[in-house]
Amino acid sequence: MDNDVILSVRDLRVSFRAYGGIVQAVRGVSFDLHRGETLAIVGESGSGKSVSTKAVMGILPPNAFIEEGSILYAGEDLTKADESRMHEIRGHRIGLVFQDPLSALNPIMKVGKQIMEVLVRRGMNKKDARSRALELMRDVGIPEPERRIEQYPFQFSGGMRQRIVIAIALAGDPEILICDEPTTALDVTVQAKILELINTIKEQRNLSVIFITHDLGVVAQMADRIAVMYAGKIVETGTAEEIFFEPAHPYTWALLSSMPDLETRERLTAIPGAPPNMIAPPAGDAFAARNRYALAIDFKREPPLFRLSETHLAATWLLHPSAPKVEMPRELKERIRRMKEAGSRA
Amino acid sequence: MPEQDNILEVSHLCQTFTSGHGSNRIVVKAVDDVSFSVRRAETFGLVGESGCGKTTTGRTIIRLYDPTSGTVRFGGRVISGKMTRELSSYLSSNIAMIFQDPIESLNPRMTIEEIIGEGLLLRGVSRARVHEAVVEMLHKVGLTEEHATRYPHEFSGGQRQRIGIARAMIIKPKMIIADEPVSALDVSIQAQVINLLNDLKEEMGLTILFIAHNLSVVKYFSDRIGVMYYGKLVEVAESDDLYAKPLHPYTRALLSAIPQPNPLTERKRQRIDYVPERDHDYSREKPEMREVEPEHFVYCSESELRAYEKQLG
Amino acid sequence: MIVERDRLPEELQSIPAEEFRRSERDWQTDERFTTEPIGFYKDALRRLFSNKVSVVSLAAIVIIIVLALIVPNVTGYGYTEQNVKQKNLPSKVPGLCRLGILDGTRVLTNIKKTSISDPKRYPEGCVLEVIREYKAGKQTVVDVKVDYYKYCGVPEGEYHWMGTDYLGRDILTRLFKGTRISLMIAFLSVVTNLIIGVVYGSVAGYYGGRVDLFLTHLAEVLDGLPYIVVTILFMLWLGSGMLSIVLALTVTGWIGTARLTRAQFYRYKGREYVLAARTLGVPDKKLIFRHILPNTVGPLITRAMIAVPGAIFSESFLAYIGLGIKPPEPSIGILLSEGQKVLLQYPNQTFFPAVLISVLMIAFNMLSNGLRDAMDPSRRGED
């Protein structure tokens, strides 16, 4: 493991006990997080993107369990750490920003106190904690922190609340920031500001960020590297340029071409059907049933991750030398051409 | 606005909600003096952020709320007046609505056939005829006859949304109000629903009032777009124009905030802030809806209008 | 597993080429359903019956109801049939009596030894055993175990399974007759409460605004009336009897149901599917009964089920403090109240009614818990 890697997840499998049976939410996921980078995990609801990071944080719901795999952080396997150790790691090393800022905050506690709580737990005295909390609030762009520190969460707007959550996450001086759909509940103009803020604090503090989202636009703005998840597996991973401009997996193709951009006029290529039931995931490639480029082997055997470059991996049988040559859809090619053009204009 | 073949004309529509009594009384202006018109067989997009009043506008038009003031005309007839049985049946046979939440918008106790067929049964159509129509509608939205006896919870989000569309379409309305029809769906499902709406629109010559916050989708789907901000309509233009030359500072801020799936442009993107107090000076001139160029309306003052005209050259 | 495309492992290279042909699957259609369609109530029943506690409770309730219907007609005694000679008999059950339990014997204490041999007082063969013999003053006193049935001159072959009360009435007959009356009072009051509560709550909840304000305040005023006082007033006005008890239980009983219904209406009337129905022109009546009310059925049934033991208990309580139905009509409460007077001498007179009311109340409570879980819409489609 090169020392640039700060967090390393290997063959992680997480399942849930549900009424209908065991839901295999994450089915063998491996990824590395490098120092100072933003890794975006993209997927639809139920793809396992959120569950994987909850496992990293040790905040899985009680009916979930890690079947196998390891999560290595600073030489320590977090899957084996006990609750008090995890608590320490969550407070200090890894910060968390959730989708819904309202439920992440205690509604009957002043926001200042909630920030200071983390600082006091780290051994700071009250006075220092208060001035540090004010500083943090200024850092995350909350105007008039002296007045706002005495207010309750309901007195803040959604965007401001999310800033408070970020301030709390930063109070522990973390190395890693995990953002689980932090802007999904927010309006676009507010979203833009929060994303900017996350990018700024990442630069300032040299944070490593795991950013979970379903919005490819957000990914484009945030990610250095991207992992695309489908049905509990990473189907493709690579740098942002590789995923956006040289996608290799049919699911990535479908994702990229199914949403209209501002230029789109032609009919959208919809992905038929719906994601599979994870209680009994299909044999072979889970995307095969919805994939118009599916091969016979896709229904029988799971594809390995084929290496396309140092950083680019994709799990599709189309990359096997014996597979027929299948090109990405014409509309997508056209769109990528437009994207590159717009990029060179900018 | 020019008198064309307008199927829907909304003029000076206001909708306020009050809560509390006495000194606790709070009045919220959800829709504040909004005027626009929708032409026959066009798609008019209404965009804005949460709380801007776009949903309330849609619901007031179809009379889920009684308008506080202003008039709404549909097909030349005033539909914002006193609710009578006759007006109610006129409304329900001409305008239908598609809702956002695919789980919430179907009655969990009814089968798909009952849900889709309810509108026809109310109009006294025989059960056998209703069944035929339901099956036909199911095929149109890509489902099959065997789905008719099922209950909503057995379907996926995208399928449920298609059922919602079938329910709206079966009465063969002239206009559909689609309130965020795809925003609760997964990315891979959204395109299915958008395509379906597009097909039905072509096939049935529908007029659609499309309400959404996702500007890429609205741009793709609409002929003309109205942008709302805090209860006010601030800009109306043909969709290409709106994106090519946005005039109102809020529209520009909104456009600059849409994340585009393109890492090359996105990383360098400059975002624009909208601060009403800074961007407008309405102390001497009153703002109103003005036509800056043909078919392009902006809510602005006299001097702003001149500035915009100059900007367009 | 990560593989290099130019250095494929042997095993991957050897996959036959035909495996890489394009799949001919029709990928465009939606998945077909493989399961049977399940309606809401069917689903709820299925889940109710998969819960053991609910099934046992339901069985207990059904058995008690069946017994209440049959037993009073087959014991051979009338529930008001008195026999002063055979009062306060202990229980005697055929079959069991041979094993020495519930065999109709009783220990009599402090009896003059001489009197045992007096056949007028102690018919022949009724004294089974002398347990203790001791002197009290000059008299020799004994404790004897007697066959109480023979002692009272009950003909051979007559059994009172639960004994008799202070008027010699068969408790078994009276208990199940009483259960019948108690259950009837409970069901009647629950049904009237439901009807009044649902209508009241629906109107308040659906129309909201001023109507709601007025109705809610009215209910609050009624709720403030002390229930015992109201009941006593009803008893004075109508005389004691089933009708006045049902009325007394109804005066304030419906308010809870009305509140529940109103809350459900507030919860559901803004739902998108109700709005959708409104845009289709569905009239108010249909909106209430077809779209909103069915969602309240689950909580309402649960509530009604909890209300049944509540009503039985209230009835018993009223009987206990002497406001019950008119004697000699029995009810569980009347039996308990009568039994309590002789609790120490004849505990069997309290024991059996107490067991029955306990079983009934536990069973109804458990069943309503099971129903609540089975009808919880958030658990639709689960096993």
Side-chain angles (χ1 to χ4, degrees):
Chain A
M1 191 167 101
D2 58 303
N3 37 14
D4 192 33
V5 172
I6 187 167
L7 180 84
S8 172
V9 173
R10 285 285 163 271
D11 301 316
L12 185 68
R13 303 181 79 88
V14 184
S15 298
F16 287 87
R17 275 180 218 96
Y19 283 90
I22 304 281
V23 179
Q24 304 176 30
V26 177
R27 305 186 294 148
V29 159
S30 303
F31 62 84
D32 290 332
L33 179 66
H34 299 266
R35 204 173 287 280
E37 76 166 352
T38 300
L39 170 69
I41 303 182
V42 194
E44 301 174 69
S45 52
S47 62
K49 56 187 194 303
S50 224
V51 178
S52 325
T53 46
K54 285 205 170 97
V56 171
M57 293 298 290
I59 49 165
L60 287 170
N63 62 336
F65 53 97
I66 296 179
E67 289 200 55
E68 60 176 55
S70 60
I71 301 164
L72 288 174
Y73 168 74
E76 186 181 355
D77 187 351
L78 297 188
T79 59
K80 298 192 175 66
D82 62 3
E83 185 46 40
S84 65
R85 175 76 188 123
M86 281 316 295
H87 203 73
E88 217 177 296
I89 288 172
R90 280 198 295 270
H92 274 244
R93 302 276 147 234
I94 308 180
L96 247 190
V97 181
F98 288 107
Q99 174 173 355
D100 180 7
L102 194 53
S103 63
L105 293 170
N106 182 343
I108 54 165
M109 202 194 238
K110 289 175 183 166
V111 294
K113 201 154 177 220
Q114 299 192 43
I115 304 174
M116 283 157 63
E117 208 180 32
V118 183
L119 298 165
V120 169
R121 213 167 50 214
R122 291 179 60 205
M124 222 179 248
N125 70 38
K126 268 230 164 118
K127 204 163 149 261
D128 290 350
R130 191 183 154 87
S131 60
R132 178 87 183 104
L134 286 171
E135 208 177 296
L136 281 166
M137 286 173 77
R138 226 166 279 132
D139 285 355
V140 297
I142 292 172
E144 301 177 73
E146 283 83 3
R147 186 171 65 86
R148 296 294 233 165
I149 198 167
E150 297 298 333
Q151 292 186 332
Y152 291 93
F154 74 88
Q155 293 168 294
F156 288 75
S157 68
M160 284 295 151
R161 270 187 216 130
Q162 197 59 293
R163 286 171 194 264
I164 295 288
V165 174
I166 294 172
I168 293 173
L170 292 181
D173 240 340
E175 286 187 298
I176 300 176
L177 192 65
I178 296 182
C179 304
D180 189 352
E181 306 246 10
T183 57
T184 308
L186 304 175
D187 281 322
V188 267
T189 50
V190 182
Q191 161 172 289
K193 288 184 192 141
I194 296 288
L195 295 180
E196 243 162 63
L197 171 68
I198 293 174
N199 270 338
T200 317
I201 55 172
K202 178 198 147 197
E203 294 294 320
Q204 280 170 358
R205 294 162 185 259
N206 195 25
L207 290 175
S208 313
V209 179
I210 298 180
F211 198 98
I212 299 166
T213 181
H214 65 274
D215 187 330
L216 289 170
V218 172
V219 173
Q221 188 183 347
M222 303 299 288
D224 300 312
R225 282 195 313 125
I226 299 172
V228 181
M229 281 191 77
Y230 184 77
K233 291 188 174 230
I234 292 181
V235 294
E236 184 163 6
T237 171
T239 63
E241 282 79 3
E242 283 166 339
I243 298 292
F244 277 100
F245 300 135
E246 298 149 33
H249 196 283
Y251 178 65
T252 318
W253 294 347
L255 267 192
L256 285 171
S257 55
S258 68
M259 285 310 291
D261 64 9
L262 292 178
E263 254 50 40
T264 315
R265 284 177 202 285
E266 70 282 348
R267 192 181 163 78
L268 298 174
T269 33
I271 311 176
N277 179 351
M278 297 309 287
I279 289 175
D285 184 350
F287 186 60
R290 303 172 72 191
N291 181 2
R292 68 169 120 168
Y293 308 106
L295 306 175
I297 191 171
D298 276 325
F299 292 94
K300 294 178 202 153
R301 192 171 159 176
E302 229 173 79
L305 278 164
F306 288 95
R307 187 180 292 287
L308 289 155
S309 79
E310 193 52 43
T311 47
H312 193 179
L313 302 170
T316 168
W317 283 117
L318 292 180
L319 295 175
H320 191 281
S322 319
K325 286 280 155 283
V326 173
E327 298 237 325
M328 68 174 84
R330 198 179 39 77
E331 314 90 78
L332 182 57
K333 254 192 190 160
E334 174 60 21
R335 190 181 287 201
I336 289 172
R337 193 188 55 73
R338 277 204 307 260
M339 272 159 44
K340 283 186 172 158
E341 238 176 59
S344 57
R345 256 185 281 130
Chain B
M1 285 175 209
E3 281 301 315
Q4 286 193 342
D5 188 13
N6 289 339
I7 190 166
L8 180 77
E9 284 172 11
V10 177
S11 56
H12 305 289
L13 186 69
C14 289
Q15 178 69 59
T16 56
F17 294 109
T18 51
S19 66
H21 299 273
S23 58
N24 293 330
R25 192 176 156 95
I26 301 165
V27 179
V28 181
K29 279 191 177 176
V31 178
D32 187 3
D33 195 19
V34 162
S35 306
F36 64 93
S37 54
V38 181
R39 291 173 204 141
R40 205 173 291 278
E42 86 167 344
T43 302
F44 187 86
L46 212 47
V47 285
E49 300 180 88
S50 57
C52 73
K54 55 189 194 299
T55 294
T56 310
T57 306
R59 290 187 177 179
T60 306
I61 291 170
I62 203 170
R63 294 302 296 273
L64 283 171
Y65 306 135
D66 285 333
T68 311
S69 66
T71 47
V72 182
R73 267 173 229 274
F74 183 83
R77 183 187 163 157
V78 176
I79 56 167
S80 52
K82 193 177 166 351
M83 202 61 178
T84 60
R85 183 166 296 199
E86 198 272 322
L87 175 59
S88 158
S89 88
Y90 176 78
L91 270 175
S92 58
S93 40
N94 283 294
I95 312 178
M97 193 150 185
I98 298 168
F99 291 84
Q100 170 175 9
D101 191 328
I103 296 168
E104 285 256 299
S105 62
L106 303 179
N107 187 339
R109 306 294 168 92
M110 286 162 78
T111 62
I112 301 311
E113 171 152 6
E114 287 168 334
I115 290 171
I116 299 179
E118 186 171 32
L120 283 184
L121 275 181
L122 281 174
R123 283 164 182 73
V125 180
S126 74
R127 273 189 189 277
R129 258 304 291 145
V130 170
H131 180 76
E132 277 170 41
V134 167
V135 171
E136 191 195 322
M137 215 53 234
L138 279 173
H139 284 301
K140 256 190 197 152
V141 299
L143 296 168
T144 60
E145 184 170 358
E146 60 149 16
H147 290 122
T149 54
R150 300 285 172 160
Y151 288 84
H153 72 99
E154 300 176 70
F155 293 86
S156 67
Q159 288 173 322
R160 289 189 212 201
Q161 200 58 300
R162 285 186 268 155
I163 292 165
I165 292 173
R167 167 178 60 192
M169 292 302 197
I170 201 163
I171 53 170
K172 304 221 163 27
K174 296 201 178 69
M175 187 171 93
I176 291 271
I177 298 176
D179 187 1
E180 302 263 11
V182 297
S183 56
L185 302 175
D186 263 323
V187 188
S188 77
I189 307 293
Q190 291 189 5
Q192 290 176 11
V193 173
I194 295 174
N195 280 345
L196 172 65
L197 276 176
N198 251 338
D199 294 346
L200 291 172
K201 176 184 151 192
E202 297 289 304
E203 193 183 318
M204 305 170 88
L206 275 176
T207 309
I208 300 183
L209 179 61
F210 190 84
I211 299 168
H213 69 271
N214 183 331
L215 291 108
S216 315
V217 175
V218 174
K219 161 85 178 1
Y220 173 72
F221 202 67
S222 311
D223 302 312
R224 288 192 306 138
I225 296 176
V227 181
M228 282 187 82
Y229 181 75
Y230 276 97
K232 295 255 186 222
L233 197 60
V234 295
E235 187 159 358
V236 178
E238 285 185 355
S239 61
D240 289 335
D241 276 352
L242 188 82
Y243 282 78
K245 34 191 177 180
L247 291 175
H248 195 277
Y250 176 68
T251 314
R252 305 209 330 222
L254 197 59
L255 284 177
S256 82
I258 324 170
Q260 287 297 311
N262 183 352
L264 293 179
T265 53
E266 209 55 22
R267 287 178 192 150
K268 299 178 204 152
R269 189 93 163 266
Q270 284 300 309
R271 316 246 170 226
I272 305 168
D273 266 357
Y274 176 54
V275 185
E277 306 83 57
R278 182 198 66 196
D279 294 344
H280 305 290
D281 177 14
Y282 291 150
S283 55
R284 270 171 295 162
E285 301 168 298
K286 285 277 153 266
E288 60 179 65
M289 216 53 181
R290 294 166 207 268
E291 191 163 14
V292 182
E293 58 176 339
E295 294 302 314
H296 195 151
F297 299 83
V298 183
Y299 183 75
C300 59
S301 63
E302 198 61 50
S303 50
E304 281 176 321
L305 174 69
R306 282 194 292 276
Y308 291 148
E309 279 169 348
K310 212 163 141 198
Q311 193 182 326
L312 290 175
Chain C
M1 184 172 66
I2 299 172
V3 297
E4 310 292 330
R5 290 173 74 201
D6 43 2
R7 277 176 284 128
L8 277 189
E10 187 59 26
E11 183 252 348
L12 284 185
Q13 278 180 19
S14 60
I15 298 174
E18 86 217 32
E19 290 286 2
F20 291 95
R21 67 182 192 279
R22 292 286 284 268
S23 155
E24 261 116 60
R25 267 209 200 188
D26 178 13
W27 51 273
Q28 206 113 38
T29 52
D30 281 296
E31 256 177 272
R32 288 179 161 271
F33 285 117
T34 47
T35 51
E36 282 293 299
I38 302 172
F40 177 80
Y41 293 104
K42 218 167 139 192
D43 186 48
L45 274 185
R46 190 174 56 87
R47 268 185 290 145
L48 182 70
F49 283 115
S50 64
N51 179 345
K52 276 189 199 114
V53 178
S54 310
V55 174
V56 171
S57 307
L58 186 64
I61 292 168
V62 169
I63 289 170
I64 289 175
I65 291 174
V66 169
L67 287 179
L69 291 175
I70 296 173
V71 169
N73 306 324
V74 299
T75 51
Y77 307 102
Y79 69 95
T80 52
E81 188 182 321
Q82 304 180 2
N83 187 338
V84 199
K85 288 230 175 85
Q86 302 179 4
K87 64 182 185 184
N88 295 329
L89 288 179
S91 23
K92 184 178 183 186
V93 181
L96 285 182
C97 62
R98 269 180 223 146
L99 303 172
I101 39 174
L102 303 180
D103 55 359
T105 60
R106 179 171 283 160
V107 175
L108 300 177
T109 54
N110 297 342
I111 293 167
K112 275 190 226 159
K113 192 174 184 188
T114 48
S115 60
I116 318 180
S117 42
D118 178 1
K120 272 193 198 139
R121 292 190 54 190
Y122 293 89
E124 203 184 310
C126 82
V127 178
L128 298 175
E129 189 186 346
V130 176
I131 296 171
R132 202 159 67 114
E133 194 174 327
Y134 55 96
K135 292 253 181 210
K138 286 175 199 156
Q139 295 283 358
T140 310
V141 184
V142 288
D143 292 352
V144 288
K145 188 180 178 189
V146 296
D147 182 337
Y148 208 76
Y149 278 66
K150 274 190 187 153
Y151 172 71
C152 293
V154 181
E156 191 69 34
E158 254 186 46
Y159 295 92
H160 295 281
W161 289 29
M162 295 181 181
T164 58
D165 67 0
Y166 71 107
L167 291 173
R169 296 176 293 199
D170 181 49
I171 292 180
L172 178 68
T173 316
R174 281 180 68 73
L175 178 59
F176 282 105
K177 180 73 183 176
T179 309
R180 204 193 278 182
I181 293 172
S182 286
L183 281 174
M184 228 146 86
I185 291 173
F187 283 130
L188 270 178
S189 69
V190 166
V191 169
T192 28
N193 282 345
L194 265 184
I195 293 172
I196 299 173
V198 166
V199 172
Y200 197 93
S202 305
V203 173
Y206 185 76
Y207 292 102
R210 294 238 168 102
V211 181
D212 181 30
L213 208 65
F214 174 74
L215 291 177
T216 313
H217 281 306
L218 185 66
E220 264 162 27
V221 169
L222 277 176
D223 206 19
L225 296 176
Y227 146 77
I228 293 290
V229 176
V230 174
T231 313
I232 292 172
L233 288 177
F234 265 104
M235 294 292 174
L236 288 175
W237 179 37
L238 295 169
S240 58
M242 202 143 108
L243 181 68
S244 44
I245 291 181
V246 170
L247 279 176
L249 291 177
T250 310
V251 177
T252 52
W254 57 270
I255 293 174
T257 315
R259 282 208 187 109
L260 178 79
T261 313
R262 175 180 170 274
Q264 291 287 327
F265 265 77
Y266 265 88
R267 207 172 127 197
Y268 284 100
K269 75 174 175 185
R271 289 279 164 110
E272 286 190 342
Y273 73 81
V274 178
L275 297 182
R278 275 176 62 193
T279 63
L280 289 174
V282 177
D284 282 5
K285 205 173 74 190
K286 252 193 142 176
L287 279 178
I288 293 180
F289 288 107
R290 189 137 173 74
H291 291 274
I292 305 179
L293 211 51
N295 289 296
T296 66
V297 166
L300 278 178
I301 289 184
T302 310
R303 193 189 160 78
M305 280 294 165
I306 295 180
V308 170
I312 294 175
F313 195 77
S314 299
E315 183 277 324
S316 302
F317 169 73
L318 288 177
Y320 197 81
I321 61 169
L323 291 173
I325 55 167
K326 217 179 281 169
E329 297 295 317
S331 77
I332 301 181
I334 300 258
L335 290 175
L336 279 172
S337 141
E338 285 170 355
Q340 180 263 343
K341 288 171 194 148
V342 290
L343 179 63
L344 291 178
Q345 298 97 311
Y346 312 119
N348 61 310
Q349 293 189 18
T350 317
F351 178 75
F352 293 107
V355 167
L356 192 85
I357 197 172
S358 307
V359 170
L360 259 184
M361 293 187 62
I362 292 171
F364 269 109
N365 275 319
M366 289 301 169
L367 182 64
S368 57
N369 275 347
L371 275 171
R372 186 197 56 211
D373 291 347
M375 299 226 193
D376 184 349
S378 66
R379 298 177 55 182
R380 277 305 301 272
E382 291 172 1
D383 287 314

